[in-house]
Amino acid sequence: MSDNLDPISQAIRIQTPRTPQGEHSTPLYLTSSFCFDDADAMRAAFAEESDDNIYSRFSNPTVDEFTKKMVMLEGADAGFSTASGMSAVVGSIMALLKNGDHMIVSSSIFGNTNTFVKKYMPNFGITYTMVQAGDESAWEAAVQPNTKMVYLETPTNPQVEVLDLEWIGQFSKKHNLILSVDNCFATPLLQKPIDFGADLVIHSATKWIDGQGRVLGGVVVGRADLIREIYLFCRVTGPTLSAFNAWVLSKSLETLDVRMERHCANALKVAETLESHPQVASVRYPFLPSHPQYAIAKKQMKAGGGVFCFEIKGGVEAGRKFLNALQMLSVTANLGDTRSICSHPASTTHSKLTDDERAAVGITPGLIRVSTGLEKVEDIIADILQALEKSL
Ligand SMILES: *Cc1c(COP(=O)(O)O)cnc(C)c1O
């Protein structure tokens, strides 16, 4: 039924078959294993590594429903859902790379991904070269005979830097490399990396996909042959998404379109307002013409996303005062929530680093990151303006 519907409608209507109870909402299959009619059926299921439901570490109908929606939204062939975004990142790298392989990694990646690449991949004999986003000659120079994969995020955290997916797609194809894109900040509704040649697309479903700060989850979708390897690795190692979280995430996808529309509209409005504020040195938002990669953002994204950042004048001290003066906006580590969230990395998450170390990862002293929620935009702006006043 749902195959000929628009993807937005499919995200609402795809579901596992109704049970004999006739429930309207999608059922939740909270079970660790599944029964077989007889010994022969069970033997066959195991012998063929079939797609039959056997055990919920391998597959579960509620998890499959969520995965199916994500595969559809990204325009992929197949997918596998995981317990968190990080298990999708780690599972996809460990399943596809081996001792002796090399990877090209964008230097602006999520903190824990960065730690995994630098601290743990070398333990398994997987080497890497980190390259700056726009430096095309550095990307070319990074290619080695044993390079297998290109890994990146766009827009990046926290500077919302935008990488040119079209160029990187062609680059990866030319060198026959697996292109893996963490699409967490954009969601499939704003950007579809597969259209630009990505082989794998990764999400932390914890962020905009859930969108309400309730559950952790992750998913990787893409080429069927690669997903098959990731599935076989994950069913043995066990970073599977829980059925309960999958149920929450599948319901969340029913509202992703309307939520993202408002998140993006609010973010643009707040970013525009701050751009002319005397206490704000600069604002970074992909859909502001002042953004260094504005043209690329316009080419590959439908809207600018819910995250923007700005530089408060007065450095670390002003940033700290600003955070303390907020009344409605939350001070928390998450992003992608109905509730607006502010963070000031220099006085919180990255306070132990030196100025130089922070600068190397794009964190300036007055950098404030805002994840724009769904509150009335006037209330978001009012809270930020009153906090700016108190941070003088
Ligand atoms: C949060 C995040 C992750 C990790 O996801 P978890 O669900 O927290 O494990 C990976 N990539 C990006 C861009 C993120 O923001």
Side-chain angles (χ1 to χ4, degrees):
M1 183 278 290
S2 52
D3 283 1
N4 54 5
L5 298 176
D6 184 273
I8 302 302
S9 307
Q10 290 193 55
I12 295 169
R13 285 290 172 176
I14 286 177
Q15 73 173 69
T16 48
R18 218 159 257 156
T19 75
Q21 303 298 334
E23 71 284 346
H24 184 215
S25 177
T26 190
L28 165 52
Y29 291 94
L30 274 182
T31 179
S32 36
S33 67
F34 300 84
C35 292
F36 295 96
D37 287 342
D38 51 39
D40 282 348
M42 187 161 175
R43 182 185 48 76
F46 273 90
E48 294 155 19
E49 284 179 336
S50 77
D51 293 331
D52 291 352
N53 290 315
I54 299 174
Y55 187 60
S56 282
R57 172 154 39 79
F58 306 171
S59 69
N60 171 289
T62 310
V63 175
D64 290 347
E65 176 185 300
F66 170 66
T67 308
K68 195 171 169 192
K69 287 185 181 181
M70 290 301 297
V71 166
M72 178 275 302
L73 287 172
E74 288 286 6
D77 300 329
F80 185 77
S81 295
T82 54
S84 65
M86 279 319 299
S87 45
V89 171
V90 172
S92 55
I93 293 173
M94 295 303 278
L96 298 173
L97 300 190
K98 59 180 191 310
N99 183 9
D101 287 343
H102 172 260
M103 198 174 159
I104 297 174
V105 184
S106 162
S107 55
S108 306
I109 48 167
F110 184 67
N112 288 157
T113 308
N114 189 61
T115 304
F116 174 70
V117 166
K118 288 187 174 157
K119 184 170 175 192
Y120 294 105
M121 281 195 351
N123 291 350
F124 299 94
I126 304 165
T127 53
Y128 64 90
T129 305
M130 288 229 169
V131 285
Q132 294 280 336
D135 190 351
E136 294 180 1
S137 58
W139 286 66
E140 291 288 355
V143 180
Q144 300 177 9
N146 59 341
T147 307
K148 291 279 158 60
M149 185 183 272
V150 173
Y151 184 95
L152 64 98
E153 289 166 23
T154 179
T156 66
N157 181 28
Q159 287 277 15
V160 291
E161 217 175 337
V162 175
L163 278 71
D164 188 340
L165 286 175
E166 189 180 8
W167 185 84
I168 294 168
Q170 287 162 1
F171 165 85
S172 303
K173 191 161 186 211
K174 183 171 80 182
H175 297 289
N176 197 23
L177 308 174
I178 298 168
L179 173 57
S180 184
V181 177
D182 181 333
N183 202 26
C184 172
F185 268 46
T187 83
L189 299 187
L190 308 186
Q191 170 177 285
K192 286 201 193 168
I194 289 174
D195 290 350
F196 299 96
D199 300 294
L200 293 174
V201 178
I202 289 172
H203 283 278
S204 166
T206 315
K207 312 293 168 51
W208 304 103
I209 304 291
D210 171 36
Q212 288 145 90
R214 302 167 297 186
V215 298
L216 298 189
V219 63
V220 49
V221 303
R223 252 168 59 191
D225 58 327
L226 302 178
I227 295 294
R228 179 79 188 157
E229 291 303 318
I230 295 167
Y231 161 71
L232 292 174
F233 179 81
C234 289
R235 73 176 244 172
V236 168
T237 53
T240 321
L241 180 62
S242 93
F244 179 77
N245 287 8
W247 185 86
V248 171
L249 294 167
S250 182
K251 294 300 284 180
S252 296
L253 287 179
E254 296 185 14
T255 58
L256 183 64
D257 180 50
V258 287
R259 285 188 285 113
M260 289 316 293
E261 211 176 291
R262 180 69 73 83
H263 280 299
C264 296
N266 281 359
L268 181 61
K269 189 89 179 281
V270 184
E272 279 171 352
T273 306
L274 290 181
E275 208 165 30
S276 56
H277 195 282
Q279 276 167 266
V280 173
S282 62
V283 180
R284 277 275 195 109
Y285 181 67
F287 267 39
L288 279 182
S290 58
H291 190 286
Q293 296 97 32
Y294 176 68
I296 300 170
K298 281 280 185 180
K299 180 178 71 173
Q300 66 196 31
M301 297 176 76
K302 286 208 181 87
V307 177
F308 72 91
C309 62
F310 68 94
E311 182 73 20
I312 190 170
K313 289 183 188 165
V316 177
E317 194 45 31
R320 206 181 57 81
K321 281 189 190 163
F322 173 80
L323 222 62
N324 290 341
L326 289 168
Q327 289 173 354
M328 180 183 78
L329 272 69
S330 315
V331 176
T332 177
N334 201 16
L335 63 91
D337 198 305
T338 52
R339 302 172 171 199
S340 296
I341 294 166
C342 259
S343 66
H344 176 232
S347 75
T348 57
T349 47
H350 294 70
S351 60
K352 290 210 180 76
L353 305 187
T354 65
D355 279 354
D356 284 348
E357 285 170 334
R358 278 194 291 266
V361 287
I363 292 168
T364 45
L367 183 81
I368 309 277
R369 186 188 74 187
V370 182
S371 167
T372 323
L374 299 182
E375 303 96 339
K376 273 286 184 193
V377 72
E378 293 78 10
D379 289 328
I380 303 171
I381 292 171
D383 195 27
I384 292 178
L385 293 184
Q386 69 80 26
L388 277 173
E389 208 166 297
K390 292 190 186 132
S391 58
L392 270 173

